[in-house]
Amino acid sequence: MLPRQPRRRALRRAVSCLRRGGVLAYPTEGVWGLGCDPRQRRAFRKILRLKRRPQKKGVLLITGHQRHTYDYWQRDIPLCLDPAQYWPGTTLVLPARARCPSWIRGRHRGIAMRVSAHPGVCRLSAGFGAAIVSTSANPAGKKPARSLRQVLRYFGGRVTILPARLGGQRRPSRILDARSGKLLRSG
C-alpha cells in the first residue's frame, strides 16, 4: 500500500527529477499526473511525446502554495472571481503574464492554475519551490491513471514516480474562468 504522503527520500528524488528536466508521475486529488518544470521546454516536450498530446491544448500548473502562482498570471487585471476564495481545489483560468511560457498556455490566452490541498502536491511544490506542470498520466485516448500499476503500464520506466496515495476525489476539479466567472468544466 502506498503511503498517504510521499516519504522524504522519494520527495528529494522527485524534486531532483524536476530540476534536471525530467518527467515526474505523481498523485493528485483524483488521478495520477505527469509533471515537469514549466520553465523547461525540453521537459515539457517529453510530456507531450509520452502522452501523444498536441501542444496547442495547453496544460495547467499545480502547486500547494498560492505564492507559486504569481509569476504566471497578471494580478493587475480586474477579475470577476477572487482566486483566494476558490483555492485550494478549483482550477482557475487566469490572464497570463507576458512572460508565461507559450508552450504551457497552448493556443489559449489565459493560464490554468490550481492550488491543491493534496499533501503530496503541497510537499512537492514546497520542496521544488514553484508550481509544476499538471496533466493527467495517460496517453491520448486512454483513461487517466488511477493507480500506480496503471502509470507503470502506460509509461514504464520513462518517468520518475513519486509514490503516495491519491486524494480520493472521483471527478476532476471544476474549471472556472476568473475573468468572466463562467464555469468551463464542472467537477
Side-chain angles (χ1 to χ4, degrees):
M1 177 169 243
L2 293 172
R4 183 174 179 276
Q5 294 187 37
R7 295 195 171 98
R8 282 190 188 118
R9 179 184 235 175
L11 196 57
R12 283 193 303 269
R13 185 171 175 245
V15 168
S16 176
C17 165
L18 294 172
R19 289 191 175 134
R20 314 189 296 277
V23 174
L24 179 68
Y26 61 95
T28 68
E29 297 90 346
V31 298
W32 281 79
L34 289 182
C36 68
D37 181 341
R39 300 162 294 195
Q40 294 192 34
R41 191 174 196 163
R42 191 179 341 226
F44 184 73
R45 285 183 176 149
K46 289 177 193 175
I47 289 177
L48 295 180
R49 280 193 306 274
L50 285 167
K51 286 184 61 81
R52 289 176 251 145
R53 177 186 173 110
Q55 181 178 326
K56 68 182 180 181
K57 282 185 153 185
V59 296
L60 67 92
L61 298 182
I62 193 169
T63 182
H65 308 279
Q66 188 171 339
R67 70 183 176 276
H68 294 157
T69 70
Y70 298 154
D71 286 343
Y72 296 98
W73 64 280
Q74 294 182 39
R75 294 182 300 153
D76 58 344
I77 290 183
L79 300 175
C80 177
L81 304 174
D82 174 11
Q85 292 180 329
Y86 292 88
W87 287 336
T90 299
T91 299
L92 294 177
V93 177
L94 298 155
R97 292 183 95 161
R99 68 179 187 222
C100 177
S102 61
W103 56 87
I104 300 299
R105 293 189 330 266
R107 67 173 178 238
H108 309 286
R109 292 187 339 206
I111 180 75
M113 302 284 315
R114 183 167 73 243
V115 175
S116 174
H118 184 277
V121 171
C122 291
R123 291 186 69 199
L124 177 62
S125 63
F128 184 56
I132 64 170
V133 165
S134 184
T135 184
S136 58
N138 59 296
K142 303 278 187 179
K143 291 187 185 255
R146 290 193 180 268
S147 70
L148 179 55
R149 180 175 292 154
Q150 208 170 9
V151 172
L152 293 170
R153 197 172 326 132
Y154 287 155
F155 304 112
R158 296 177 290 169
V159 298
T160 298
I161 307 257
L162 178 62
R165 286 188 219 156
L166 293 175
Q169 278 185 243
R170 289 282 162 223
R171 299 174 62 155
S173 73
R174 65 187 178 149
I175 301 176
L176 294 172
D177 185 311
R179 281 195 250 193
S180 68
K182 182 179 173 185
L183 181 66
L184 303 175
R185 181 181 78 196
S186 63

